[in-house]
Amino acid sequence: MVYITRKETFSAAHKLSRQDWSDQKNQEVFGKCSNPNWHGHNYVLWVTVKGEVNPETGFVTNLSDVSQVLKSYILDKLDHKNLDMDVDFMKGRYSSTEVLAVEIWKQIEKPIMALGCSLHSVKIQETEKNTVEYFGS
Amino acid sequence: MVYITRKETFSAAHKLSRQDWSDQKNQEVFGKCSNPNWHGHNYVLWVTVKGEVNPETGFVTNLSDVSQVLKSYILDKLDHKNLDMDVDFMKGRYSSTEVLAVEIWKQIEKPIMALGCSLHSVKIQETEKNTVEYFGS
Amino acid sequence: MVYITRKETFSAAHKLSRQDWSDQKNQEVFGKCSNPNWHGHNYVLWVTVKGEVNPETGFVTNLSDVSQVLKSYILDKLDHKNLDMDVDFMKGRYSSTEVLAVEIWKQIEKPIMALGCSLHSVKIQETEKNTVEYFGS
Amino acid sequence: MVYITRKETFSAAHKLSRQDWSDQKNQEVFGKCSNPNWHGHNYVLWVTVKGEVNPETGFVTNLSDVSQVLKSYILDKLDHKNLDMDVDFMKGRYSSTEVLAVEIWKQIEKPIMALGCSLHSVKIQETEKNTVEYFGS
Amino acid sequence: MVYITRKETFSAAHKLSRQDWSDQKNQEVFGKCSNPNWHGHNYVLWVTVKGEVNPETGFVTNLSDVSQVLKSYILDKLDHKNLDMDVDFMKGRYSSTEVLAVEIWKQIEKPIMALGCSLHSVKIQETEKNTVEYFGS
Amino acid sequence: MVYITRKETFSAAHKLSRQDWSDQKNQEVFGKCSNPNWHGHNYVLWVTVKGEVNPETGFVTNLSDVSQVLKSYILDKLDHKNLDMDVDFMKGRYSSTEVLAVEIWKQIEKPIMALGCSLHSVKIQETEKNTVEYFGS
C-alpha cells in the first residue's frame, strides 16, 4: 500500500455567520470571520489516495487523473468563487474549514475510487496557522 | 544604510470589475477575478524601511514600532475585510494588487518617517504566483 | 472525526549536555548542540486536536481557544526564553526535541480536553531538517 | 513512542518510459515524463523513525546517525545521478516516485533498525504538487 | 513605476561538462554537476516586469499575458526537457544557471515589451541554496 | 553583470541588553529580546555576489567557493554558538540583526573579491517576520 498526495490551491471568499444569531453572538463565536461583507483566503488542498503499485506502470494511479478529478469536482467550483453563494455542494452549510473538508470528501470519494484506488484523506489549509484534515469517518 | 523588512499577512475578499463595463468585457479583461460574488486571498505584505544603524541600540528602528504602524494603518483595516467595500483608503479605486501597493505606500510613508527612518518598498503577494512591489515613484 | 491543527512558533535558547559527563563525552554524543554558552532555534509547533464537528458552529472547536491554550501554557513560557533555565516544566529534563514534545503534551492535554475535543499530536520542528512528533503514548 | 523525521534533498534525472511500448503509448500513459532525453527534479526525502526516548540522552536515536545512514545508503547514490542509469538498487525498475519510495525503504530498513529504532515511513516529494509516502506494507 | 513578478516552475535535466576537457578537469571544476548520465532540478523562475499602472484597469499589464509569454517562449521548451539536448536557444551553450538566466532574458525581452511594459529581471532558483538573477546588462 | 545568491542557515543564541541600562530600560527598548538567560534563532543568511559570466565555465564564480568562504569565515563561527559570547568579530557589539549583517559583510568582502567577483548584499532573516539587508554602504 502506497499513499500519494496531490496539492492544489484555490482562492475563495466566505464568511462565518448565522442569520438566526444576533450580530453580537456571531461576533462572539466567529470573531473577525463574521465580517458581513466577506473576507477570503488562498486555500491549499492536499488530497491523499492509497493503493497498490501497478506493476505495469509503477503508479498507484496516474496523478494527472487525480488532478483532473480535483479540477472537475472541486477547483472549477471553488476557485475564485464565494463558498457561501456560488458552490452547489456547500449550499445551506457553514463554510468552516471542517465542513469544507467533509463536503469535499463526499464529492470526490467515488470518482477517486473509479480510478482504481481509494481516498485516504482531505487536508485543507485556510491560513498558514490553521489546517484541517478529514479521513472519512 | 541598512534595510529592514517586516512581513505581515492579511486575509481579504475583493473582485475586479468595472460597473461601466459589460459582464462580457469584465470577463475578458479580469477573467475569473471578476466573479460578481467576490473571491479572496491570504495576502502577504512585506514593508522595507531603510536608515542608519542607531549606535545606542544597534537598530535602524525598532521593528515592533514598524509592526505597530502596519497594524494601525493597514492590517486593522484590511484583515478579514472586503477591499472594495470596507476600506476607507481603497474607496473608488480598483483593488488590483498594483493599486493596493501604491495606496498602502501613501498610508504609511509619513508614519514610517516619524520613526526616524524612510520607507523603501511595499511588496504584496496576492497568490503564490503573483507579486507586486512599489518603491514610491 | 475531524482533525484540526494550529501552527505556532517560538524562539528559544538551549543546550544538550550532562553535568555528570565529561566535556569530551558530551561532545561525542551531543556534538555542536553541547556548546557551553548555548545556541538557539526558531522552533515551529503544530498541535493537532480531534473531535466531532459541532452542528451549531461547523467547528470541532474554536481554534482561537486552542491558540489561547497554547499561548498560556506553552508560548508565554518558551518564547524568547532559555529552555534549560527559564521553563518550569522543563526543569531537570534534557531539552531534546523529543523530551520537549512529550512535556508539552503533558501541559496541554487537559486544557485541550476542557475545550470539548481531544489532543491528537504535538509536532515540533527544531531546524528545517529535524522534526519530532508525539501522539501521547 | 516518539516519531522523529529527517529531511534531506537530492537532485536527479529520470524518465518514465517502457521499451516494450510504442512512443505513442508511453506518451499516453506517462505524458511529458516520457521525454526520451530525460528530465529531472529536486526531490525532497523525509524519513521518519520511531522508538522510545532513551533516558540517558533524551533522544529516540541520534539524528546525526540517521543522517549518516541516509547519506551512505541513499544520497550518495541518488544525488546528481540518473535514477534509471546510475543507481544499483533501481536497476530494472521504473523510476516512479512510488517505486522509489518502496526501494528506499528496502535499503534503509535494516540500517535504521541497527540504530535501535524502527523505520516508520519514507516520504518523497517529486514536485511541489506531487508527494508519495510508504509505511512498509 | 510598479514592479510585478510572475513565478513559474519547470523540471529539467542537464549536466555541466566540456567535451574539450578531461573527465578529471570537468570533475574538478563542475564537481557532481558533471555526472555524464545527467541529473536534474525543479527550477523556479521569477520574471519581473515594470511599468506605469494603467488607469483603465489598475494593472501594469495583465499577468495572464505575462504567463502566456512565459509558457510559449520558455516553459513549453524547458519543462520536462533536457537543457543541453532539447532546447533550441540553449544549443551550444553551457547550461549553468547564469547562462540560462541570460538566455531566457533574450527570449522574452521583446514579447514582454509588446505587452506595454518592460522586463526588469529574470531570477532562477536551481536548488534551495542557489539562485541567480539577471537585470539585462 | 549577473547576480548569484547562496543561502545558508545557522542556529545561535543571543540577547539584546546593555549593561549600562537598567533592566527596566532594557525591557522597554528591547522587549522580550532582553531575556537575561538568552534566547535563540535559526538564522537564514543569503549572500549575493555579482560579476561577469566567465566564458570558460558559464559561471560568475563557483558557488562551492562562495560556500567555502561562508563556512570558514561565518558559519563555523556562528552556528550553534552564542553571538554575544563566542564570536570574535561580534565582541563588544550589539547582536542586533542589523549589526550582524554589517559585521558579516566586513568579514567576507575581501575573501569574496579574491574569488574574482564582488559582494553585492548580505541578507539575514532572524525570524519569519524580520529580515535585514546590507549593501555595503
Side-chain angles (χ1 to χ4, degrees):
Chain A
M1 188 75 82
V2 175
Y3 296 70
I4 55 176
T5 299
R6 181 74 177 181
K7 179 192 176 194
E8 303 284 356
T9 57
F10 58 94
S11 298
H14 86 132
K15 68 178 167 186
L16 295 175
S17 74
R18 291 180 57 153
Q19 293 185 325
D20 58 334
W21 284 1
S22 67
D23 285 0
Q24 193 187 334
K25 182 152 188 200
N26 274 313
Q27 172 65 27
E28 280 170 22
V29 174
F30 296 118
K32 56 188 181 181
C33 297
S34 65
N35 180 45
N37 291 330
W38 319 96
H39 65 284
H41 301 288
N42 297 329
Y43 291 90
V44 187
L45 171 68
W46 294 268
V47 169
T48 300
V49 307
K50 59 188 170 189
E52 303 293 331
V53 177
N54 181 338
E56 293 284 308
T57 58
F59 286 166
V60 166
T61 190
N62 203 320
L63 266 175
S64 66
D65 293 336
V66 175
S67 179
Q68 188 55 49
V69 165
L70 297 181
K71 183 175 184 314
S72 306
Y73 288 82
I74 306 299
L75 301 176
D76 284 352
K77 293 181 174 180
L78 299 187
D79 188 34
H80 283 73
K81 302 292 185 192
N82 185 312
L83 299 184
D84 301 302
M85 298 177 72
D86 296 330
V87 184
D88 54 1
F89 65 79
M90 291 296 289
K91 284 277 162 61
R93 307 193 190 286
Y94 304 122
S95 58
S96 71
T97 318
E98 288 93 324
V99 171
L100 188 60
V102 172
E103 297 304 318
I104 288 177
W105 177 285
K106 292 181 191 167
Q107 297 301 307
I108 63 174
E109 187 178 17
K110 283 182 188 162
I112 290 293
M113 213 173 291
L115 299 177
C117 54
S118 60
L119 184 57
H120 175 67
S121 86
V122 170
K123 187 161 74 167
I124 305 174
Q125 182 186 280
E126 189 189 54
T127 68
E128 211 187 317
K129 297 195 125 193
N130 296 347
T131 302
V132 160
E133 189 163 19
Y134 181 60
F135 297 89
S137 62
Chain B
M1 188 75 81
V2 175
Y3 295 71
I4 56 176
T5 300
R6 180 75 177 180
K7 179 193 176 192
E8 304 285 355
T9 57
F10 58 93
S11 298
H14 86 133
K15 68 178 168 187
L16 295 174
S17 75
R18 291 180 56 154
Q19 293 185 325
D20 57 334
W21 285 0
S22 67
D23 284 359
Q24 193 187 332
K25 181 153 189 198
N26 274 314
Q27 172 65 28
E28 279 170 22
V29 174
F30 296 119
K32 57 188 180 181
C33 296
S34 66
N35 179 45
N37 291 329
W38 319 97
H39 65 284
H41 302 289
N42 297 330
Y43 291 89
V44 187
L45 170 68
W46 294 267
V47 169
T48 300
V49 306
K50 60 188 170 189
E52 303 292 332
V53 177
N54 181 338
E56 293 284 307
T57 58
F59 286 166
V60 166
T61 189
N62 203 320
L63 265 175
S64 66
D65 293 336
V66 175
S67 179
Q68 188 54 49
V69 165
L70 296 181
K71 182 176 185 315
S72 307
Y73 288 81
I74 306 298
L75 302 176
D76 284 352
K77 293 181 175 180
L78 300 187
D79 188 33
H80 283 74
K81 302 292 185 189
N82 186 312
L83 299 183
D84 300 303
M85 297 176 73
D86 297 328
V87 184
D88 54 1
F89 65 81
M90 290 296 289
K91 284 276 161 61
R93 307 194 190 287
Y94 305 123
S95 58
S96 71
T97 318
E98 288 94 322
V99 170
L100 188 60
V102 172
E103 296 304 318
I104 288 177
W105 176 284
K106 291 181 191 167
Q107 296 301 307
I108 62 175
E109 186 177 17
K110 282 182 190 162
I112 291 293
M113 214 174 290
L115 299 177
C117 53
S118 60
L119 185 56
H120 175 67
S121 85
V122 170
K123 187 162 74 169
I124 304 175
Q125 182 186 281
E126 190 191 52
T127 68
E128 212 186 317
K129 297 194 127 195
N130 297 348
T131 302
V132 160
E133 190 162 19
Y134 181 59
F135 297 88
S137 63
Chain C
M1 187 76 80
V2 175
Y3 296 70
I4 55 176
T5 299
R6 180 75 177 182
K7 179 192 175 194
E8 303 284 356
T9 57
F10 58 93
S11 297
H14 86 132
K15 68 178 169 187
L16 294 174
S17 74
R18 292 181 55 156
Q19 292 185 325
D20 58 333
W21 284 359
S22 67
D23 285 359
Q24 193 188 333
K25 181 151 189 201
N26 275 312
Q27 172 65 28
E28 280 170 22
V29 174
F30 297 118
K32 57 189 181 180
C33 297
S34 67
N35 179 45
N37 291 330
W38 319 96
H39 65 284
H41 301 289
N42 297 330
Y43 291 89
V44 186
L45 171 68
W46 294 268
V47 169
T48 300
V49 306
K50 61 187 169 190
E52 303 293 332
V53 177
N54 181 337
E56 294 284 308
T57 58
F59 286 165
V60 167
T61 190
N62 204 318
L63 265 174
S64 67
D65 293 336
V66 175
S67 180
Q68 188 55 49
V69 165
L70 296 181
K71 183 176 185 311
S72 307
Y73 288 81
I74 307 298
L75 301 176
D76 285 352
K77 293 180 175 180
L78 299 187
D79 188 33
H80 284 73
K81 301 293 184 189
N82 185 312
L83 299 184
D84 301 302
M85 297 177 71
D86 296 330
V87 184
D88 54 1
F89 66 79
M90 290 296 288
K91 284 276 162 60
R93 308 194 189 284
Y94 305 123
S95 58
S96 72
T97 318
E98 288 94 322
V99 171
L100 188 60
V102 172
E103 297 303 318
I104 287 176
W105 178 283
K106 292 181 192 167
Q107 297 302 307
I108 62 174
E109 187 178 17
K110 283 182 190 162
I112 290 294
M113 214 173 291
L115 299 176
C117 54
S118 62
L119 184 57
H120 176 67
S121 85
V122 170
K123 186 161 76 168
I124 304 174
Q125 182 186 281
E126 190 190 54
T127 68
E128 212 187 316
K129 298 195 126 194
N130 297 345
T131 302
V132 160
E133 190 162 20
Y134 181 60
F135 297 87
S137 63
Chain D
M1 187 76 82
V2 176
Y3 295 71
I4 56 177
T5 299
R6 180 75 177 181
K7 179 192 176 194
E8 303 284 355
T9 57
F10 58 93
S11 298
H14 86 132
K15 67 178 166 187
L16 294 174
S17 76
R18 291 181 55 157
Q19 292 184 325
D20 58 333
W21 284 0
S22 67
D23 284 359
Q24 192 187 335
K25 181 152 189 199
N26 274 313
Q27 173 64 27
E28 279 170 23
V29 175
F30 296 118
K32 58 188 180 179
C33 297
S34 67
N35 179 46
N37 291 330
W38 319 96
H39 66 283
H41 301 289
N42 298 330
Y43 291 90
V44 187
L45 171 68
W46 294 267
V47 169
T48 300
V49 306
K50 60 187 169 189
E52 302 293 331
V53 177
N54 181 338
E56 293 284 308
T57 59
F59 286 165
V60 166
T61 190
N62 203 319
L63 265 175
S64 66
D65 293 335
V66 175
S67 179
Q68 188 55 48
V69 164
L70 296 180
K71 183 177 186 311
S72 306
Y73 289 81
I74 306 299
L75 302 176
D76 284 353
K77 294 181 174 179
L78 300 187
D79 188 34
H80 283 74
K81 302 291 184 191
N82 185 311
L83 298 183
D84 300 303
M85 297 176 72
D86 296 330
V87 184
D88 54 2
F89 65 80
M90 291 296 289
K91 285 276 161 61
R93 306 192 190 288
Y94 304 123
S95 58
S96 71
T97 318
E98 289 93 323
V99 171
L100 188 60
V102 172
E103 297 303 318
I104 288 176
W105 177 284
K106 291 180 191 168
Q107 297 301 307
I108 62 174
E109 187 178 16
K110 283 182 189 163
I112 290 293
M113 214 174 290
L115 298 177
C117 53
S118 60
L119 185 57
H120 176 67
S121 86
V122 170
K123 187 162 74 167
I124 305 175
Q125 182 186 279
E126 189 189 54
T127 67
E128 211 187 317
K129 297 195 125 194
N130 297 348
T131 302
V132 160
E133 189 163 19
Y134 181 59
F135 297 88
S137 63
Chain E
M1 187 75 81
V2 175
Y3 296 70
I4 55 176
T5 299
R6 181 75 177 181
K7 178 192 176 194
E8 303 285 355
T9 57
F10 58 94
S11 298
H14 85 132
K15 67 179 168 186
L16 294 175
S17 73
R18 293 181 55 157
Q19 293 185 324
D20 58 334
W21 284 0
S22 67
D23 285 357
Q24 192 187 335
K25 182 152 190 200
N26 274 313
Q27 173 65 28
E28 279 170 22
V29 174
F30 296 118
K32 57 190 181 180
C33 297
S34 66
N35 180 45
N37 291 330
W38 319 97
H39 65 284
H41 301 289
N42 297 330
Y43 291 89
V44 186
L45 171 68
W46 294 267
V47 169
T48 300
V49 307
K50 60 187 170 190
E52 302 293 332
V53 177
N54 181 337
E56 293 284 308
T57 58
F59 287 167
V60 166
T61 189
N62 203 320
L63 265 175
S64 66
D65 293 335
V66 175
S67 180
Q68 188 55 49
V69 165
L70 296 181
K71 183 176 184 314
S72 307
Y73 288 81
I74 307 299
L75 301 175
D76 284 352
K77 294 181 175 181
L78 300 187
D79 188 33
H80 284 73
K81 302 292 185 190
N82 185 312
L83 299 183
D84 301 302
M85 297 177 72
D86 296 330
V87 185
D88 54 1
F89 65 80
M90 291 296 289
K91 285 278 162 59
R93 307 195 190 286
Y94 305 122
S95 58
S96 71
T97 318
E98 288 93 323
V99 170
L100 188 60
V102 172
E103 297 303 319
I104 288 176
W105 177 284
K106 292 181 191 167
Q107 297 300 308
I108 62 174
E109 188 178 16
K110 283 182 189 164
I112 290 293
M113 215 173 290
L115 299 177
C117 54
S118 61
L119 185 57
H120 175 67
S121 85
V122 170
K123 186 161 76 168
I124 304 174
Q125 182 186 282
E126 189 190 55
T127 68
E128 212 187 316
K129 296 195 125 193
N130 297 347
T131 302
V132 160
E133 190 164 18
Y134 181 60
F135 297 88
S137 63
Chain F
M1 186 78 79
V2 175
Y3 296 70
I4 55 176
T5 299
R6 180 76 178 181
K7 180 193 176 194
E8 303 283 355
T9 57
F10 58 93
S11 298
H14 85 131
K15 66 179 168 187
L16 295 174
S17 75
R18 291 181 55 156
Q19 292 185 326
D20 58 334
W21 284 0
S22 67
D23 285 359
Q24 193 188 333
K25 183 155 187 197
N26 274 313
Q27 172 64 28
E28 280 170 21
V29 175
F30 296 119
K32 58 188 180 179
C33 297
S34 66
N35 179 45
N37 291 331
W38 319 95
H39 65 284
H41 301 289
N42 297 330
Y43 291 90
V44 186
L45 172 68
W46 294 268
V47 169
T48 300
V49 306
K50 61 186 169 189
E52 303 293 332
V53 177
N54 181 338
E56 293 283 309
T57 59
F59 286 165
V60 166
T61 190
N62 204 317
L63 265 175
S64 67
D65 293 336
V66 175
S67 180
Q68 188 56 49
V69 164
L70 296 181
K71 183 176 185 311
S72 306
Y73 288 81
I74 306 299
L75 300 175
D76 285 351
K77 293 180 174 180
L78 299 188
D79 187 34
H80 284 74
K81 302 292 185 191
N82 186 312
L83 299 183
D84 301 302
M85 297 176 72
D86 296 330
V87 184
D88 53 1
F89 66 79
M90 290 297 288
K91 284 276 161 61
R93 307 193 190 286
Y94 304 121
S95 58
S96 71
T97 317
E98 288 94 323
V99 170
L100 188 60
V102 172
E103 297 303 319
I104 288 176
W105 177 285
K106 292 182 191 167
Q107 297 301 308
I108 62 174
E109 187 178 17
K110 284 183 188 161
I112 290 294
M113 215 174 290
L115 299 177
C117 52
S118 60
L119 185 57
H120 176 67
S121 85
V122 170
K123 186 161 77 167
I124 304 174
Q125 182 186 279
E126 190 191 52
T127 68
E128 212 186 315
K129 296 195 125 193
N130 297 345
T131 301
V132 160
E133 189 163 19
Y134 181 60
F135 297 87
S137 64

